[in-house]
Amino acid sequence: MKTPGRNTPCPCGSGKKYKQCCSAREEAQALNVPQTLQAALAHHQAGRLLQAEEIYQQILQAEPNHPEALHLLGMLA
């Protein structure tokens, strides 16, 4: 099966664009969220806040409602 373009309707029938639906889920599966969150937390605790923020944003791109990433990003703000 050919992968749809990012801006084409998602083949799952959700009515969303592919990049906002199944593509995001595929990215989340490729991203090891617990391991990535640990890396972000290490940056956060070491005072490297810009690096931590970038990683929290990356996690939220993959999983928009990830509670820990949302909380820690809020702590940065």
Side-chain angles (χ1 to χ4, degrees):
M1 181 178 166
K2 183 179 175 187
T3 302
R6 291 177 45 81
N7 289 317
T8 59
C10 192
C12 75
S14 67
K16 296 180 182 179
K17 291 181 180 179
Y18 178 69
K19 68 181 176 185
Q20 296 171 333
C21 189
C22 290
S23 176
R25 281 189 231 131
E26 290 169 5
E27 288 175 14
Q29 290 173 347
L31 181 70
N32 184 339
V33 174
Q35 186 177 13
T36 305
L37 186 63
Q38 285 297 327
L41 191 54
H43 284 299
H44 195 149
Q45 291 171 336
R48 296 184 297 270
L49 303 181
L50 289 176
Q51 292 90 338
E53 181 179 1
E54 289 174 4
I55 297 172
Y56 295 143
Q57 293 289 356
Q58 187 180 39
I59 292 169
L60 291 172
Q61 284 289 320
E63 292 186 26
N65 294 318
H66 191 279
E68 290 177 85
L70 286 168
H71 171 75
L72 292 167
L73 188 60
M75 295 293 290
L76 285 179

